Amino acid sequence: MTGYQPRHASAPSPRGHEPEGCLTVAVRLPVRVVMFVLVLPVRLVWDGLVAAGRAFRRGVLGPVGRALSWLGRVLLVTPARWTWRRLVVPLGRGLAVVFRWTVTALFVWPWAALWRYVLLPVGRGAGWLGRWLAAAGAFLGRVLVVVPVTWVHTRLLVPLARAVGRGCGLLGRYLFVLPAVLLWRHVLAPAGRGTGLALAWLWRWLVAAPAAALHRYVLVPLGRAVVVAVRGTGAVLLLLGRYLLVVPLVALYRWVLAPAGRGLALVVREIAAAAAVAWRVTGRVTAFLLRGAGRVLYVLLVAPLIGLWRHVLAPFGRVLRGWVWQPVAAACRAAGRALRSAGYSVRSALRSARASVRSARAEIRRALFGVPRSREREPLP
């Protein structure tokens, strides 16, 4: 065939194009065989349960659910809907109208009348009276309080406060400010300059010079010696830690843990791949087995029932329907029509008998008592 390529040449490797070692090939085949043997019963049970669940859902749960739905609709939903539409909704509307009119008559109209005919006129009168009283009070307050207070403040308090302020300012200047300035200029300032020079000389030779000598000739050499000792100790500890801890740990990881991890990962990966392959293969096997079992059940159970229905029960039902049910139904319909017509005739005979009895009774009443006078209705005053 033109353009044909074998499957193993065209299908890509599931792990890429990396070459596989002999250990991988040696582990893969027994692992897959073992996984196939272990997975086959599980897949058979799983597929059997799935098929049984589907058959149960189609044959039992579906009809039962539809029957329950129909019963719920007939017994609950339809009566509840009719009750809601025919009873509850009209009753609720009537109660709502009655409640609305009752609330309006008991609460809205009395309060509206009270507000419109009592409170609103009283409030308007009180507002007019309040405005007039406020205007009168404002006028009286302005004439009796504001104008006198303003005149007192303008004509008396302001000039008096200005005179008092000027006098206090002159007294404070000549009694406090000028003596303080003279004291500072001629006494405190020269004394402060001399004291500052003496304190600076003492600070320089008693504190600064000893501290500088201590830092230069004691602390700096001591700090350098400490730094050298710390650096040497750190280098020694670094070498010891490297050759006593790091190198053994790196060797342990490189030559023991890493190969063991790769082997374990290889085993786990192959077990997972083998489980997937075994699951797919057992799925095909179980599908074949279940199809065979279904075919056997169909041949042994379903096909005889279908043949019985098709070749025995259905023709018998047609014969029964054509020769028994249809003639009986036609006879029943004819009898019903005859009974209905007989009932109509009986009802008409009864109506005519009642009419004749009424007429005879009226004739006897007229023969005994005469024709009754017709009473004319008088209009109401």
Side-chain angles (χ1 to χ4, degrees):
M1 184 180 295
T2 307
Y4 174 77
Q5 293 181 358
R7 185 175 180 180
H8 60 83
S10 61
S13 175
R15 301 180 185 84
H17 299 281
E18 297 180 358
E20 298 178 351
C22 59
L23 181 61
T24 303
V25 178
V27 170
R28 181 175 299 169
L29 183 59
V31 168
R32 290 193 176 184
V33 172
V34 173
M35 290 304 296
F36 179 79
V37 173
L38 294 176
V39 170
L40 181 59
V42 178
R43 186 59 188 264
L44 283 173
V45 174
W46 174 259
D47 290 341
L49 291 176
V50 170
R54 289 177 181 173
F56 182 74
R57 180 172 60 86
R58 292 177 181 177
V60 177
L61 293 182
V64 171
R66 288 191 291 271
L68 291 177
S69 176
W70 182 80
L71 286 176
R73 186 170 60 252
V74 171
L75 296 178
L76 296 178
V77 177
T78 303
R81 185 184 300 171
W82 185 87
T83 304
W84 174 261
R85 289 182 178 177
R86 302 299 180 182
L87 296 179
V88 177
V89 173
L91 182 61
R93 290 176 180 172
L95 291 177
V97 171
V98 172
F99 180 74
R100 185 171 66 248
W101 280 97
T102 303
V103 171
T104 303
L106 292 178
F107 297 100
V108 178
W109 291 344
W111 288 105
L114 179 64
W115 170 260
R116 183 176 296 175
Y117 300 108
V118 178
L119 296 179
L120 191 60
V122 171
R124 288 175 180 173
W128 178 78
L129 181 61
R131 285 195 298 271
W132 278 99
L133 290 177
F139 176 76
L140 293 175
R142 181 180 179 183
V143 172
L144 297 177
V145 178
V146 177
V147 173
V149 170
T150 304
W151 184 85
V152 170
H153 178 268
T154 305
R155 302 297 180 181
L156 296 177
L157 296 179
V158 172
L160 182 62
R162 289 176 181 175
V164 171
R166 289 175 184 176
C168 291
L170 291 175
L171 289 175
R173 180 179 180 183
Y174 289 104
L175 291 178
F176 297 100
V177 177
L178 289 179
V181 169
L182 294 176
L183 178 64
W184 170 261
R185 184 177 296 174
H186 298 288
V187 178
L188 296 178
R193 292 191 189 98
T195 306
L197 292 175
L199 291 175
W201 184 84
L202 291 174
W203 175 263
R204 180 179 179 183
W205 293 108
L206 293 179
V207 179
L214 178 64
H215 178 268
R216 182 177 298 175
Y217 299 107
V218 178
L219 297 179
V220 171
L222 183 61
R224 289 175 181 174
V226 171
V227 169
V228 171
V230 170
R231 286 180 179 177
T233 305
V236 171
L237 293 177
L238 182 62
L239 290 174
L240 291 175
R242 179 180 179 183
Y243 288 103
L244 292 178
L245 295 176
V246 178
V247 174
L249 290 177
V250 169
L252 177 64
Y253 173 76
R254 184 176 297 174
W255 302 107
V256 178
L257 297 179
R262 292 191 189 97
L264 183 61
L266 174 64
V267 172
V268 172
R269 187 171 63 247
E270 290 301 327
I271 289 173
V277 173
W279 186 262
R280 290 195 296 269
V281 174
T282 52
R284 295 180 182 178
V285 173
T286 54
F288 176 75
L289 294 176
L290 290 176
R291 288 194 191 97
R295 187 63 182 176
V296 171
L297 292 175
Y298 178 80
V299 171
L300 294 178
L301 296 178
V302 179
L305 293 177
I306 291 175
L308 178 64
W309 170 261
R310 185 176 295 173
H311 300 290
V312 178
L313 296 179
F316 179 74
R318 294 190 189 97
V319 171
L320 185 65
R321 182 184 60 187
W323 293 94
V324 177
W325 290 114
Q326 290 180 355
V328 171
C332 290
R333 284 195 294 271
R337 284 194 294 269
L339 290 175
R340 193 178 300 113
S341 62
Y344 289 155
S345 62
V346 169
R347 282 195 295 271
S348 62
L350 289 175
R351 281 197 298 270
S352 63
R354 282 197 297 269
S356 62
V357 168
R358 288 195 191 95
S359 62
R361 189 172 54 189
E363 291 293 336
I364 292 171
R365 187 183 298 113
R366 281 196 297 270
L368 293 176
F369 301 104
V371 179
R373 268 186 324 182
S374 59
R375 295 181 181 179
E376 297 181 356
R377 294 184 179 180
E378 296 180 357
L380 293 176

